[in-house]
Amino acid sequence: KSIDLQNIHKTRPSAAALQLRAGATSTDNNTIPPPPPASNLSLLKFYFPCLALWISGPLLSLVDTSFIGLSAKAGAVGGAGSAAQLAALGPATTFIDGSLYLFAFLNVATTNLYASALAKGAVENTKNKSNKSGVEEKPGEGVVRTAAKTSLYSGIGLMLFLLAVARPLIALYIGPEAAASPGLLDAAHEYVKIRALSMPTSLLGGVLQAALLGAKDSVTPLVSILYSTIVNVSGDYLLVSKLHMGLKGAAIATLCAQLAGTIAMIPAARRKLLSKGSSLGLLPRWMTKRQPDEINAG
């Protein structure tokens, strides 16, 4: 029988397929090999701080609810007014949380892009690159700066939007019957207006936390959450329990807690994510004499 050499040539596996079968790694600089498997101990050290980060938000809201509820029970704020504030706290907190969830894609994108930049830098195994200003940069530094600036500007826009149209949106959110309840809409609107002032720092803190998680550091965000918890509990105790400011005091305490958490995270994020002499680039260029580029040179 005759053998068709052309058909045999067509059925031969390609070189790339042979490399995959043999488990060989490609020498192409654009490919990123998989990382070595992590040990169980290292996974546990990363998992538990991440778990604390995810449950910290609901716990902070639970602290506000507890202080408002206890003050209402004791009559410290005043019968019907305190009851209306307690009823308004639920939809007000979910309204603020929902506004923040609209920008959750910033955190996901930051973690993915920063982790990919670190992996690519490890594969290239080169020295830190320099930007146009002559400052040496770590891999992924441009991702952090761009994400931080985007989150800050998005937070400012969200803050202005909520301050302008929060009241009709809350009325639509809670429904006409609840909005007609005496004091409920006013209390929820007051809470949202105060919490809206924290939108820039909340989005910025979320992006920095996502970048730190991309760098496999889950302890630093946990420390900032600890600062937030201490400020929130102390503020609720002072403003709600002692000064009897009710829902307004709870909103101010949460606002200060979010500011404290973000401020506590910024120095650690600069040390771990940026090279010495670099900044997050949050200020406009006309306010700074020299600002590093937003993307790595090269």
Side-chain angles (χ1 to χ4, degrees):
K1 297 182 180 180
S2 61
I3 301 177
D4 191 352
L5 296 178
Q6 185 177 3
N7 291 334
I8 292 179
H9 177 70
K10 290 181 179 180
T11 57
R12 285 181 181 177
S14 62
L18 292 175
Q19 286 184 347
L20 289 175
R21 292 177 184 177
T25 10
S26 174
T27 58
D28 188 2
N29 292 332
N30 295 325
T31 60
I32 301 176
S39 62
N40 292 332
L41 181 60
S42 62
L43 289 177
L44 291 177
K45 288 181 179 179
F46 187 78
Y47 284 162
F48 285 109
C50 286
L51 177 63
L53 291 176
W54 280 108
I55 66 176
S56 61
L59 287 180
L60 290 178
S61 299
L62 183 61
V63 169
D64 291 342
T65 305
S66 301
F67 275 97
I68 292 293
L70 292 175
S71 298
K73 183 178 181 181
V77 186
S82 62
Q85 289 179 348
L86 185 62
L89 182 61
T93 53
T94 55
F95 183 84
I96 286 292
D97 293 340
S99 302
L100 291 173
Y101 287 153
L102 293 176
F103 293 87
F105 67 92
L106 291 175
N107 302 343
V108 177
T110 302
T111 301
N112 293 338
L113 292 176
Y114 184 74
S116 299
L118 287 184
K120 186 176 181 180
V123 169
E124 292 178 353
N125 196 20
T126 59
K127 295 182 178 180
N128 296 341
K129 297 180 179 180
S130 299
N131 57 20
K132 295 179 181 179
S133 301
V135 180
E136 289 190 352
E137 296 184 346
K138 296 180 180 178
E141 211 172 307
V143 174
V144 176
R145 275 198 297 273
T146 303
K149 186 179 295 186
T150 303
S151 64
L152 182 63
Y153 292 167
S154 299
I156 293 175
L158 179 60
M159 176 188 69
L160 297 177
F161 177 78
L162 291 178
L163 291 176
V165 297
R167 188 177 183 87
L169 289 179
I170 296 172
L172 181 64
Y173 179 66
I174 64 179
E177 295 183 0
S181 301
L184 193 147
L185 180 59
D186 293 335
H189 182 218
E190 184 179 34
Y191 183 90
V192 170
K193 283 195 304 181
I194 297 174
R195 286 288 305 274
L197 300 177
S198 67
M199 293 296 103
T201 53
S202 296
L203 293 182
L204 176 61
V207 162
L208 294 180
Q209 174 182 309
L212 288 168
L213 291 178
K216 296 188 292 187
D217 179 12
S218 58
V219 177
T220 301
L222 185 62
V223 173
S224 70
I225 293 297
L226 180 61
Y227 281 104
S228 298
T229 303
I230 294 174
V231 173
N232 194 27
V233 173
S234 303
D236 281 334
Y237 177 77
L238 176 64
L239 300 177
V240 179
S241 297
K242 294 300 181 181
L243 299 181
H244 311 313
M245 295 178 64
L247 197 61
K248 181 178 180 180
I252 295 175
T254 307
L255 168 65
C256 295
Q258 290 175 331
L259 289 175
T262 303
I263 292 173
M265 196 186 304
I266 289 177
R270 289 188 61 181
R271 290 194 305 267
K272 293 178 178 292
L273 304 177
L274 306 179
S275 58
K276 188 176 181 180
S278 297
S279 67
L280 290 173
L282 300 178
L283 297 177
R285 294 183 181 273
W286 58 269
M287 296 181 62
T288 57
K289 296 181 180 179
R290 180 179 61 84
Q291 180 176 329
D293 297 335
E294 293 180 8
I295 58 175
N296 290 335

